[in-house]
Coordinates of all heavy atoms in Angstrom, one line a residue:
M8 N -55.8 -127.3 22.3 CA -56.5 -126.6 21.2 C -57.8 -125.9 21.7 O -58.0 -124.7 21.3 CB -56.9 -127.6 20.1 CG -57.5 -127.1 18.9 SD -56.4 -126.0 18.0 CE -57.2 -125.7 16.6
K9 N -58.5 -126.5 22.6 CA -59.6 -125.9 23.2 C -59.3 -124.7 24.0 O -60.0 -123.7 23.9 CB -60.4 -127.0 24.0 CG -61.8 -126.7 24.3 CD -62.5 -127.8 25.0 CE -64.0 -127.7 25.0 NZ -64.6 -128.8 25.7
K10 N -58.2 -124.7 24.8 CA -57.8 -123.6 25.6 C -57.4 -122.5 24.7 O -57.8 -121.3 25.0 CB -56.6 -123.9 26.4 CG -56.9 -124.7 27.6 CD -55.7 -124.9 28.5 CE -55.9 -125.6 29.8 NZ -54.8 -125.8 30.6
L11 N -56.8 -122.7 23.6 CA -56.3 -121.7 22.7 C -57.6 -121.0 22.1 O -57.6 -119.8 21.9 CB -55.5 -122.3 21.6 CG -55.0 -121.2 20.5 CD1 -54.1 -120.2 21.1 CD2 -54.3 -122.0 19.4
L12 N -58.6 -121.7 21.7 CA -59.8 -121.2 21.2 C -60.6 -120.2 22.2 O -61.0 -119.2 21.9 CB -60.8 -122.3 20.8 CG -62.1 -121.8 20.2 CD1 -61.9 -121.0 18.9 CD2 -62.9 -123.1 19.8
V13 N -60.6 -120.8 23.5 CA -61.2 -120.0 24.6 C -60.4 -118.6 24.8 O -61.0 -117.6 24.9 CB -61.4 -120.8 25.8 CG1 -61.8 -120.0 27.0 CG2 -62.3 -122.0 25.6
V14 N -59.1 -118.8 24.9 CA -58.3 -117.6 25.2 C -58.4 -116.6 24.0 O -58.6 -115.4 24.2 CB -56.9 -118.0 25.4 CG1 -56.0 -116.9 25.5 CG2 -56.8 -118.8 26.7
S15 N -58.3 -117.1 22.8 CA -58.4 -116.1 21.7 C -59.8 -115.5 21.6 O -59.9 -114.3 21.2 CB -58.1 -116.9 20.4 OG -59.0 -117.9 20.1
T16 N -60.8 -116.2 21.9 CA -62.2 -115.6 21.9 C -62.3 -114.6 23.0 O -62.8 -113.5 22.7 CB -63.2 -116.7 22.1 OG1 -63.1 -117.7 21.1 CG2 -64.7 -116.1 22.1
A17 N -61.8 -114.8 24.1 CA -61.8 -113.8 25.2 C -61.0 -112.6 24.9 O -61.5 -111.5 25.2 CB -61.2 -114.5 26.5
I18 N -59.8 -112.7 24.3 CA -59.1 -111.5 23.8 C -59.8 -110.7 22.8 O -59.8 -109.5 22.9 CB -57.7 -112.0 23.3 CG1 -56.8 -112.6 24.4 CG2 -57.0 -110.9 22.6 CD1 -55.6 -113.3 23.9
I19 N -60.4 -111.4 21.9 CA -61.2 -110.7 20.8 C -62.3 -109.9 21.5 O -62.6 -108.7 21.2 CB -61.7 -111.7 19.7 CG1 -60.5 -112.2 18.9 CG2 -62.8 -111.0 18.8 CD1 -60.8 -113.3 18.0
L20 N -63.0 -110.6 22.4 CA -64.2 -109.9 23.0 C -63.7 -108.7 23.9 O -64.3 -107.7 23.9 CB -64.9 -110.9 23.9 CG -65.8 -111.9 23.2 CD1 -66.4 -112.9 24.1 CD2 -66.9 -111.2 22.4
L21 N -62.6 -108.8 24.6 CA -62.0 -107.7 25.4 C -61.6 -106.6 24.5 O -61.8 -105.4 24.8 CB -60.9 -108.2 26.3 CG -61.3 -109.0 27.5 CD1 -60.1 -109.5 28.1 CD2 -62.1 -108.2 28.5
A22 N -61.0 -106.9 23.4 CA -60.6 -105.8 22.5 C -61.7 -105.1 21.9 O -61.7 -103.9 21.7 CB -59.7 -106.5 21.4
A23 N -62.8 -105.8 21.6 CA -64.0 -105.2 21.0 C -64.7 -104.3 21.9 O -65.1 -103.2 21.6 CB -64.9 -106.3 20.5
C24 N -64.6 -104.6 23.2 CA -65.3 -103.8 24.3 C -64.5 -102.6 24.5 O -65.0 -101.5 24.8 CB -65.5 -104.6 25.6 SG -66.7 -105.9 25.5
T25 N -63.2 -102.6 24.5 CA -62.4 -101.5 24.8 C -62.1 -100.5 23.6 O -61.8 -99.4 23.8 CB -60.9 -101.9 25.4 OG1 -60.3 -102.7 24.4 CG2 -61.1 -102.7 26.6
S26 N -62.4 -101.0 22.4 CA -62.1 -100.3 21.2 C -63.3 -99.4 20.8 O -63.2 -98.6 19.9 CB -61.8 -101.1 20.0 OG -62.9 -101.9 19.7
K27 N -64.5 -99.5 21.6 CA -65.6 -98.7 21.2 C -65.3 -97.2 21.5 O -64.8 -96.9 22.6 CB -66.8 -99.1 22.1 CG -67.4 -100.3 21.6 CD -68.7 -100.6 22.4 CE -69.4 -101.8 21.9 NZ -70.6 -102.2 22.6
K28 N -65.6 -96.3 20.5 CA -65.3 -94.9 20.7 C -66.3 -94.3 21.6 O -67.4 -94.7 21.6 CB -65.2 -94.2 19.4 CG -66.5 -94.2 18.6 CD -66.4 -93.5 17.3 CE -67.9 -93.4 16.7 NZ -67.8 -92.6 15.5
K29 N -65.8 -93.3 22.3 CA -66.7 -92.6 23.2 C -67.6 -91.7 22.3 O -67.1 -90.9 21.4 CB -66.0 -91.7 24.1 CG -65.3 -92.5 25.2 CD -64.7 -91.7 26.3 CE -64.2 -92.5 27.4 NZ -63.6 -91.6 28.5
A30 N -68.9 -91.7 22.4 CA -69.8 -90.9 21.6 C -70.3 -89.7 22.4 O -71.2 -89.0 21.9 CB -71.0 -91.8 21.2
H31 N -69.6 -89.3 23.5 CA -70.0 -88.1 24.3 C -68.7 -87.4 24.6 O -67.7 -87.9 24.8 CB -70.8 -88.5 25.5 CG -72.1 -89.1 25.2 ND1 -72.3 -90.4 24.9 CD2 -73.3 -88.5 25.3 CE1 -73.5 -90.6 24.7 NE2 -74.2 -89.6 25.0
D32 N -68.9 -86.0 24.7 CA -67.8 -85.2 25.2 C -67.8 -85.0 26.7 O -68.7 -85.6 27.4 CB -67.7 -83.8 24.4 CG -68.8 -83.0 24.7 OD1 -69.8 -83.4 25.5 OD2 -68.9 -81.9 24.2
A33 N -67.0 -84.1 27.2 CA -66.9 -83.9 28.6 C -68.2 -83.3 29.2 O -68.6 -83.5 30.3 CB -65.7 -83.0 29.0
D34 N -69.0 -82.6 28.4 CA -70.2 -82.0 28.8 C -71.4 -82.8 28.6 O -72.5 -82.5 28.9 CB -70.5 -80.7 27.9 CG -69.5 -79.6 28.2 OD1 -68.9 -79.6 29.3 OD2 -69.2 -78.8 27.3
G35 N -71.2 -84.1 28.2 CA -72.3 -85.0 28.0 C -72.9 -84.9 26.6 O -74.0 -85.5 26.4
K36 N -72.5 -84.0 25.8 CA -73.0 -83.8 24.5 C -72.6 -85.0 23.6 O -71.5 -85.5 23.6 CB -72.7 -82.4 23.9 CG -73.1 -81.3 24.8 CD -73.8 -80.3 24.0 CE -74.3 -79.2 24.9 NZ -75.3 -78.4 24.3
I37 N -73.5 -85.3 22.7 CA -73.2 -86.5 21.8 C -72.2 -86.0 20.7 O -72.4 -85.0 20.0 CB -74.5 -87.0 21.1 CG1 -75.5 -87.5 22.2 CG2 -74.2 -88.1 20.2 CD1 -76.8 -87.8 21.8
R38 N -71.1 -86.8 20.5 CA -70.1 -86.6 19.4 C -70.2 -87.8 18.5 O -69.3 -88.6 18.4 CB -68.8 -86.4 19.9 CG -68.5 -85.1 20.5 CD -67.0 -85.0 20.8 NE -66.7 -83.6 21.2 CZ -65.5 -83.2 21.6 NH1 -64.6 -84.0 21.7 NH2 -65.3 -81.9 21.9
D39 N -71.3 -87.8 17.7 CA -71.5 -88.9 16.7 C -72.4 -88.3 15.6 O -73.2 -87.3 15.8 CB -72.2 -90.1 17.3 CG -72.0 -91.4 16.6 OD1 -71.3 -91.3 15.5 OD2 -72.6 -92.3 17.0
C40 N -72.3 -88.8 14.4 CA -73.1 -88.3 13.4 C -74.6 -88.7 13.4 O -74.8 -89.9 13.4 CB -72.5 -88.7 12.0 SG -70.9 -88.0 11.7
P41 N -75.5 -87.7 13.4 CA -76.9 -88.2 13.3 C -77.2 -88.6 11.9 O -76.5 -88.4 11.0 CB -77.6 -86.8 13.7 CG -76.7 -85.7 13.4 CD -75.3 -86.3 13.5
D42 N -78.3 -89.4 11.8 CA -78.7 -89.9 10.6 C -79.3 -88.8 9.6 O -78.9 -88.7 8.5 CB -79.8 -91.0 10.7 CG -79.4 -92.1 11.7 OD1 -78.2 -92.4 11.7 OD2 -80.3 -92.6 12.4
T43 N -80.2 -88.0 10.1 CA -80.8 -86.9 9.3 C -81.2 -85.8 10.3 O -81.4 -85.9 11.4 CB -82.2 -87.5 8.8 OG1 -81.9 -88.7 8.1 CG2 -82.8 -86.6 7.8
M44 N -81.3 -84.5 9.7 CA -81.8 -83.4 10.4 C -83.1 -83.1 9.8 O -83.3 -83.1 8.6 CB -80.9 -82.2 10.2 CG -81.5 -81.0 10.9 SD -80.4 -79.6 10.4 CE -81.0 -78.4 11.6
I45 N -84.1 -83.0 10.6 CA -85.5 -82.7 10.2 C -85.7 -81.2 10.4 O -85.5 -80.7 11.5 CB -86.6 -83.5 10.9 CG1 -86.3 -85.0 10.8 CG2 -88.0 -83.2 10.5 CD1 -86.4 -85.6 9.4
D46 N -86.2 -80.5 9.3 CA -86.6 -79.2 9.4 C -88.1 -79.1 9.2 O -88.6 -79.1 8.0 CB -85.8 -78.3 8.3 CG -86.1 -76.8 8.4 OD1 -86.8 -76.4 9.3 OD2 -85.6 -76.1 7.5
N47 N -88.8 -79.1 10.3 CA -90.3 -79.1 10.2 C -90.8 -77.7 10.0 O -90.8 -76.8 10.8 CB -90.8 -79.7 11.6 CG -92.3 -79.8 11.5 OD1 -93.0 -79.5 10.5 ND2 -92.8 -80.3 12.6
R48 N -91.4 -77.5 8.8 CA -91.9 -76.3 8.3 C -93.5 -76.3 8.3 O -94.1 -75.4 7.6 CB -91.3 -75.8 7.0 CG -89.9 -75.5 7.1 CD -89.3 -74.9 5.9 NE -87.9 -74.8 6.0 CZ -87.1 -74.4 5.0 NH1 -87.6 -74.1 3.8 NH2 -85.9 -74.3 5.2
M49 N -94.1 -77.3 9.0 CA -95.5 -77.3 9.1 C -96.0 -76.1 9.8 O -95.4 -75.7 10.8 CB -95.9 -78.6 9.8 CG -95.5 -79.9 9.2 SD -96.6 -80.4 7.9 CE -98.0 -80.8 8.8
P50 N -97.2 -75.6 9.4 CA -97.7 -74.4 10.1 C -98.2 -74.8 11.4 O -98.7 -75.9 11.7 CB -98.9 -73.9 9.2 CG -99.0 -75.0 8.1 CD -97.9 -75.9 8.2
R51 N -98.0 -73.9 12.3 CA -98.5 -74.1 13.8 C -99.4 -73.0 14.2 O -99.3 -71.8 13.7 CB -97.3 -74.1 14.7 CG -96.3 -75.2 14.4 CD -95.4 -75.3 15.7 NE -94.1 -75.0 15.2 CZ -93.0 -75.1 16.0 NH1 -93.1 -75.2 17.3 NH2 -91.8 -74.9 15.5
I52 N -100.3 -73.3 15.0 CA -101.2 -72.4 15.6 C -100.6 -71.9 17.0 O -100.4 -72.7 17.8 CB -102.6 -72.8 15.9 CG1 -103.3 -73.2 14.5 CG2 -103.5 -71.8 16.6 CD1 -104.5 -74.0 14.7
I53 N -100.3 -70.6 17.0 CA -99.7 -70.0 18.3 C -100.6 -69.0 18.8 O -101.0 -68.1 18.2 CB -98.3 -69.4 18.0 CG1 -97.4 -70.5 17.4 CG2 -97.7 -68.8 19.2 CD1 -96.0 -69.9 16.9
D54 N -101.1 -69.2 20.1 CA -101.9 -68.3 20.8 C -101.6 -68.3 22.2 O -100.5 -68.8 22.6 CB -103.4 -68.7 20.6 CG -103.8 -70.1 21.1 OD1 -102.9 -70.6 21.9 OD2 -104.9 -70.6 20.9
E55 N -102.3 -67.6 23.0 CA -102.0 -67.4 24.4 C -102.1 -68.8 25.2 O -101.5 -68.8 26.3 CB -102.9 -66.3 25.1 CG -104.3 -66.7 25.2 CD -105.1 -66.3 24.0 OE1 -104.6 -65.7 23.1 OE2 -106.3 -66.6 23.9
N56 N -102.8 -69.7 24.7 CA -102.9 -71.0 25.4 C -101.8 -72.0 25.0 O -101.6 -73.0 25.5 CB -104.3 -71.7 25.0 CG -105.4 -70.8 25.6 OD1 -105.3 -70.2 26.6 ND2 -106.5 -70.8 24.8
T57 N -101.0 -71.6 24.0 CA -99.9 -72.5 23.5 C -98.8 -72.4 24.6 O -98.4 -71.4 25.1 CB -99.3 -72.0 22.2 OG1 -100.4 -72.0 21.3 CG2 -98.2 -72.9 21.7
E58 N -98.2 -73.6 24.9 CA -97.1 -73.7 25.8 C -95.9 -73.0 25.3 O -95.6 -73.1 24.1 CB -96.8 -75.2 26.2 CG -97.9 -75.8 26.9 CD -97.6 -77.2 27.3 OE1 -96.4 -77.6 27.4 OE2 -98.5 -78.1 27.4
A59 N -95.1 -72.3 26.1 CA -93.9 -71.6 25.7 C -92.9 -72.6 25.3 O -92.0 -72.3 24.5 CB -93.5 -70.7 26.8
D60 N -92.9 -73.8 25.9 CA -91.8 -74.7 25.6 C -92.3 -75.8 24.6 O -92.0 -77.0 24.6 CB -91.4 -75.4 26.9 CG -92.5 -76.2 27.5 OD1 -93.7 -75.9 27.3 OD2 -92.2 -77.1 28.4
A61 N -92.9 -75.2 23.5 CA -93.3 -76.2 22.4 C -92.1 -76.7 21.7 O -91.0 -76.2 21.8 CB -94.2 -75.4 21.4
L62 N -92.3 -77.9 21.2 CA -91.1 -78.5 20.5 C -90.5 -77.6 19.4 O -91.3 -77.1 18.6 CB -91.6 -79.9 19.9 CG -91.9 -80.9 21.0 CD1 -92.5 -82.2 20.3 CD2 -90.8 -81.4 21.8
P63 N -89.2 -77.7 19.2 CA -88.6 -76.9 18.2 C -88.9 -77.5 16.8 O -89.1 -78.7 16.7 CB -87.1 -76.9 18.5 CG -86.9 -78.1 19.5 CD -88.3 -78.3 20.2
G64 N -88.7 -76.7 15.8 CA -89.0 -77.1 14.4 C -87.9 -77.9 13.8 O -88.0 -78.5 12.8
Q65 N -86.6 -77.8 14.4 CA -85.5 -78.6 13.8 C -85.0 -79.6 14.9 O -84.9 -79.2 16.1 CB -84.4 -77.7 13.4 CG -84.8 -76.8 12.3 CD -83.6 -75.9 11.8 OE1 -82.7 -75.6 12.6 NE2 -83.6 -75.5 10.6
Y66 N -84.7 -80.8 14.4 CA -84.2 -81.8 15.3 C -83.5 -82.9 14.5 O -83.6 -82.9 13.3 CB -85.3 -82.4 16.2 CG -86.5 -83.0 15.4 CD1 -86.5 -84.3 14.9 CD2 -87.5 -82.2 15.0 CE1 -87.6 -84.9 14.2 CE2 -88.6 -82.8 14.3 CZ -88.5 -84.0 13.9 OH -89.6 -84.5 13.1
Y67 N -82.8 -83.7 15.1 CA -82.0 -84.8 14.5 C -82.7 -86.1 14.7 O -83.5 -86.3 15.7 CB -80.6 -85.1 15.1 CG -79.6 -83.9 14.7 CD1 -78.9 -83.3 15.7 CD2 -79.4 -83.5 13.4 CE1 -78.0 -82.3 15.5 CE2 -78.5 -82.5 13.1 CZ -77.8 -82.0 14.1 OH -76.8 -81.0 13.8
I68 N -82.6 -87.0 13.7 CA -82.8 -88.4 13.9 C -81.5 -89.2 14.1 O -80.7 -89.1 13.2 CB -83.6 -89.0 12.6 CG1 -84.9 -88.2 12.3 CG2 -83.9 -90.5 12.8 CD1 -86.0 -88.4 13.5
Y69 N -81.4 -89.8 15.2 CA -80.1 -90.4 15.6 C -80.5 -91.9 16.1 O -81.2 -92.0 17.0 CB -79.5 -89.6 16.8 CG -78.2 -90.2 17.3 CD1 -77.1 -90.4 16.5 CD2 -78.2 -90.6 18.6 CE1 -75.9 -90.9 17.0 CE2 -77.0 -91.2 19.1 CZ -75.9 -91.3 18.3 OH -74.7 -91.8 18.8
K70 N -79.9 -92.8 15.4 CA -80.2 -94.2 15.7 C -81.7 -94.5 15.7 O -82.2 -95.2 16.6 CB -79.5 -94.6 16.9 CG -78.0 -94.5 16.9 CD -77.3 -95.0 18.1 CE -75.8 -94.9 17.9 NZ -75.1 -95.4 19.1
G71 N -82.4 -93.9 14.8 CA -83.8 -94.2 14.6 C -84.8 -93.4 15.6 O -86.0 -93.7 15.6
E72 N -84.2 -92.6 16.4 CA -85.0 -91.8 17.4 C -84.8 -90.3 17.2 O -83.8 -89.9 16.8 CB -84.6 -92.2 18.8 CG -84.8 -93.7 19.1 CD -84.5 -94.0 20.6 OE1 -84.1 -93.0 21.4 OE2 -84.5 -95.2 20.9
R73 N -85.9 -89.6 17.6 CA -85.8 -88.1 17.6 C -84.9 -87.7 18.7 O -85.0 -88.1 19.9 CB -87.1 -87.5 17.8 CG -87.1 -86.0 17.9 CD -88.4 -85.4 18.3 NE -88.2 -84.0 18.6 CZ -89.0 -83.1 18.0 NH1 -90.0 -83.4 17.2 NH2 -88.8 -81.8 18.3
R74 N -83.9 -86.9 18.4 CA -83.0 -86.2 19.5 C -82.9 -84.8 19.1 O -82.8 -84.3 18.0 CB -81.6 -86.9 19.3 CG -81.6 -88.4 19.5 CD -82.0 -88.9 20.9 NE -81.2 -88.5 22.0 CZ -80.3 -89.4 22.5 NH1 -80.2 -90.6 22.0 NH2 -79.5 -88.9 23.5
E75 N -82.9 -83.9 20.1 CA -82.9 -82.5 20.0 C -81.4 -82.1 19.6 O -80.4 -82.7 20.0 CB -83.3 -81.8 21.3 CG -84.7 -82.1 21.7 CD -85.7 -82.0 20.6 OE1 -85.7 -80.9 19.9 OE2 -86.6 -82.8 20.5
I76 N -81.3 -81.0 18.9 CA -80.0 -80.5 18.4 C -79.2 -80.1 19.6 O -77.9 -80.3 19.6 CB -80.2 -79.3 17.4 CG1 -80.9 -79.8 16.1 CG2 -78.9 -78.6 17.2 CD1 -81.2 -78.8 15.1
A77 N -79.7 -79.6 20.7 CA -79.0 -79.2 21.8 C -78.3 -80.4 22.6 O -77.4 -80.2 23.3 CB -79.9 -78.5 22.8
E78 N -78.7 -81.6 22.2 CA -78.1 -82.8 22.8 C -76.7 -83.1 22.2 O -76.0 -83.9 22.7 CB -78.9 -84.0 22.7 CG -80.3 -83.9 23.5 CD -81.1 -85.1 23.2 OE1 -80.6 -86.3 23.5 OE2 -82.3 -85.0 22.7
F79 N -76.4 -82.5 21.1 CA -75.2 -82.8 20.3 C -74.1 -81.6 20.4 O -74.5 -80.5 20.7 CB -75.5 -82.9 18.8 CG -76.3 -84.2 18.4 CD1 -77.7 -84.3 18.7 CD2 -75.6 -85.3 17.9 CE1 -78.3 -85.5 18.4 CE2 -76.2 -86.5 17.6 CZ -77.6 -86.6 17.9
D80 N -72.9 -82.0 20.3 CA -71.8 -81.1 20.2 C -71.9 -80.6 18.7 O -71.3 -81.2 17.8 CB -70.5 -81.8 20.5 CG -69.3 -80.9 20.4 OD1 -69.5 -79.8 19.9 OD2 -68.2 -81.3 20.8
T81 N -72.6 -79.5 18.6 CA -72.8 -79.0 17.2 C -71.6 -78.6 16.4 O -71.6 -78.9 15.2 CB -73.7 -77.7 17.3 OG1 -74.6 -77.8 18.4 CG2 -74.6 -77.6 16.1
A82 N -70.6 -78.1 17.1 CA -69.3 -77.7 16.3 C -68.7 -79.0 15.8 O -68.2 -79.1 14.7 CB -68.4 -77.0 17.2
W83 N -68.7 -80.1 16.6 CA -68.1 -81.4 16.2 C -68.9 -82.0 15.1 O -68.3 -82.4 14.1 CB -68.1 -82.4 17.4 CG -67.4 -83.6 17.1 CD1 -66.1 -83.8 17.4 CD2 -67.9 -84.8 16.5 NE1 -65.7 -85.1 17.0 CE2 -66.8 -85.7 16.4 CE3 -69.1 -85.2 16.0 CZ2 -67.0 -87.0 15.8 CZ3 -69.2 -86.4 15.4 CH2 -68.2 -87.3 15.4
V84 N -70.3 -81.9 15.2 CA -71.1 -82.5 14.0 C -70.9 -81.7 12.8 O -70.7 -82.3 11.7 CB -72.6 -82.4 14.5 CG1 -73.4 -82.8 13.3 CG2 -72.9 -83.4 15.6
N85 N -70.7 -80.3 12.8 CA -70.5 -79.5 11.6 C -69.2 -79.9 11.0 O -69.0 -79.9 9.8 CB -70.6 -78.0 12.0 CG -72.0 -77.6 12.3 OD1 -73.0 -78.3 11.9 ND2 -72.1 -76.5 13.0
R86 N -68.1 -80.1 11.8 CA -66.8 -80.4 11.3 C -66.7 -81.8 10.7 O -66.0 -82.1 9.7 CB -65.7 -80.3 12.4 CG -65.2 -78.9 12.6 CD -64.0 -79.0 13.5 NE -64.1 -79.8 14.7 CZ -64.5 -79.6 15.8 NH1 -65.0 -78.4 16.1 NH2 -64.5 -80.5 16.8
N87 N -67.4 -82.8 11.3 CA -67.1 -84.2 11.0 C -68.2 -84.9 10.3 O -68.0 -86.1 9.9 CB -66.8 -84.9 12.3 CG -65.6 -84.5 13.0 OD1 -64.5 -84.5 12.4 ND2 -65.7 -83.8 14.2
C88 N -69.4 -84.3 10.1 CA -70.5 -85.1 9.6 C -71.1 -84.3 8.4 O -71.1 -83.1 8.3 CB -71.6 -85.3 10.6 SG -71.0 -86.0 12.1
D89 N -71.7 -85.1 7.4 CA -72.4 -84.6 6.3 C -73.8 -85.1 6.5 O -74.2 -86.1 6.1 CB -71.8 -85.1 5.0 CG -72.5 -84.5 3.8 OD1 -73.0 -83.4 3.9 OD2 -72.5 -85.1 2.7
V90 N -74.6 -84.2 7.3 CA -76.0 -84.6 7.7 C -76.9 -84.1 6.6 O -77.0 -83.0 6.3 CB -76.3 -84.0 9.0 CG1 -77.7 -84.4 9.5 CG2 -75.3 -84.4 10.1
E91 N -77.8 -85.1 6.2 CA -78.8 -84.8 5.1 C -79.9 -84.0 5.9 O -80.3 -84.4 7.0 CB -79.4 -86.1 4.6 CG -80.6 -85.9 3.7 CD -81.3 -87.2 3.4 OE1 -80.7 -88.3 3.7 OE2 -82.4 -87.1 2.8
V92 N -80.3 -82.9 5.3 CA -81.5 -82.1 5.9 C -82.7 -82.5 5.1 O -82.7 -82.4 3.9 CB -81.2 -80.6 5.7 CG1 -82.4 -79.8 6.3 CG2 -80.0 -80.3 6.5
Q93 N -83.7 -82.9 5.8 CA -85.0 -83.3 5.2 C -86.0 -82.2 5.7 O -86.4 -82.1 6.8 CB -85.5 -84.6 5.7 CG -86.7 -85.1 5.0 CD -87.1 -86.6 5.4 OE1 -86.4 -87.2 6.3 NE2 -88.0 -87.2 4.8
V94 N -86.6 -81.5 4.7 CA -87.6 -80.5 5.0 C -89.0 -81.1 4.9 O -89.2 -81.7 3.9 CB -87.4 -79.3 4.0 CG1 -88.5 -78.2 4.3 CG2 -86.0 -78.6 4.1
V95 N -89.8 -80.9 5.9 CA -91.1 -81.5 5.8 C -92.1 -80.3 5.9 O -91.9 -79.3 6.7 CB -91.4 -82.5 7.0 CG1 -90.5 -83.7 6.8 CG2 -91.1 -81.9 8.3
Y96 N -93.2 -80.4 5.2 CA -94.2 -79.4 5.1 C -95.5 -79.9 5.5 O -95.9 -81.1 5.4 CB -94.4 -78.8 3.6 CG -93.2 -78.1 3.2 CD1 -92.2 -78.7 2.4 CD2 -93.0 -76.8 3.5 CE1 -91.1 -78.0 1.9 CE2 -91.9 -76.0 3.1 CZ -90.9 -76.7 2.3 OH -89.9 -76.0 1.8

């Protein structure tokens, strides 16, 4: 009985590990639905001292963290996800 319990637990754990879906495509882009898209419309001061690589105004919240839109397979997200857009002022 004890052996059966150990074997069945091992099988369940192995099945759980192998059944996880891949969340990335071949290019390394994320293929999973983000939680929210943030559209930041807060005014910014732009002058000659502003860095050219300032953070973009739109990004995703994915698993509780900020992730850039470029990190995602955008076509896949548009086809498969219904992402809430939150506009912030």
Side-chain angles (χ1 to χ4, degrees):
M8 183 66 174
K9 199 174 193 182
K10 280 186 179 181
L11 179 64
L12 181 62
V13 171
V14 170
S15 61
T16 303
I18 290 171
I19 290 171
L20 288 175
L21 286 173
C24 290
T25 58
S26 68
K27 286 186 178 180
K28 65 177 182 175
K29 289 187 177 182
H31 292 81
D32 68 358
D34 295 333
K36 301 230 178 197
I37 301 170
R38 281 191 172 174
D39 199 4
C40 293
D42 305 327
T43 308
M44 177 184 190
I45 303 296
D46 186 2
N47 184 357
R48 296 189 184 170
M49 298 276 291
R51 297 192 240 182
I52 297 173
I53 300 174
D54 61 10
E55 65 275 355
N56 297 327
T57 303
E58 293 181 25
D60 60 341
L62 293 174
Q65 292 183 334
Y66 55 91
Y67 288 130
I68 300 297
Y69 177 64
K70 296 183 179 179
E72 296 181 9
R73 176 190 172 126
R74 302 298 289 262
E75 302 306 323
I76 293 175
E78 296 178 58
F79 286 81
D80 182 347
T81 328
W83 188 95
V84 171
N85 290 337
R86 276 192 317 270
N87 297 296
C88 304
D89 185 23
V90 181
E91 173 191 350
V92 178
Q93 184 177 6
V94 178
V95 293
Y96 294 98

